[in-house]
Amino acid sequence: MKKSILLFICAILMFFAFQTRAMAKDNVVAYIDLMKVEAGVNELKPLIDQKNQLEIQFEQLRNQKQQEFAQAQASGESQEQLKKLYDQINQELAAKEKEVEAARAAIDAKLQTVLPKIKTAIDTVAKQVGASIVLDNAIVWWGGVDITDQVIAKVNGQ
């Protein structure tokens, strides 16, 4: 009796093991680099380039103003003059930072209109490669199929 129960349980376990192995052969994991997709979408490129240029200008302005302030300190300017210069520098930097934030907001707004196209492209490409799941490349350590370039081409209508 015990042997037949044990044999039955072994048979069930082997059945599930073979089923799992067969199912694993059918499952394809795909991954996508969303940052690369965002940078590769033609509709977003001009906005991203503008934002990057503004960020560079901001960094250059900040470095220039830090040097100006250091020179004013080294030349022996009074505390009142240094305070005035400090306030002026902060106003200029705040204005430039608002430009950068406006550029980021424009990208976010445009991304909301492009996101459905990206999702549709991901769905289409995933089905073409037979993927049962698509993950962000940041969580895939090994294996899988990279569909990033195919998704970018699909979104850009190529």
Side-chain angles (χ1 to χ4, degrees), residues 35 38-39 44-59 96-108:
M35 298 299 283
E38 185 178 304
L44 296 175
K45 281 182 185 180
L47 296 172
I48 292 171
D49 291 344
Q50 178 187 9
K51 177 198 64 96
N52 291 341
Q53 188 62 37
L54 286 170
E55 286 175 343
I56 290 168
Q57 290 172 1
F58 177 78
E59 287 300 316
K96 188 55 117 175
E97 193 169 18
K98 281 184 183 180
E99 287 181 46
V100 173
E101 288 303 317
R104 287 182 182 141
I107 290 171
D108 289 343

Side-chain angles (χ1 to χ4, degrees), residues 42-98:
N42 290 339
E43 293 180 56
L44 296 175
K45 281 182 185 180
L47 296 172
I48 292 171
D49 291 344
Q50 178 187 9
K51 177 198 64 96
N52 291 341
Q53 188 62 37
L54 286 170
E55 286 175 343
I56 290 168
Q57 290 172 1
F58 177 78
E59 287 300 316
Q60 290 171 341
L61 180 65
R62 186 174 64 177
N63 291 337
Q64 175 190 352
K65 295 303 177 179
Q66 284 176 340
Q67 289 175 354
E68 284 179 25
F69 191 77
Q71 288 173 350
Q73 281 180 318
S75 68
E77 298 281 340
S78 70
Q79 289 294 344
E80 185 178 311
Q81 289 171 325
L82 288 174
K83 171 81 167 105
K84 186 176 179 181
L85 179 61
Y86 181 81
D87 291 342
Q88 177 189 352
I89 289 171
N90 279 337
Q91 286 177 351
E92 289 178 42
L93 290 175
K96 188 55 117 175
E97 193 169 18
K98 281 184 183 180

Side-chain angles (χ1 to χ4, degrees), residues 3-18:
K3 284 185 179 181
S4 61
I5 293 175
L6 189 59
L7 207 56
F8 179 71
I9 291 174
C10 285
I12 290 174
L13 288 175
M14 287 179 62
F15 173 76
F16 283 120
F18 287 121

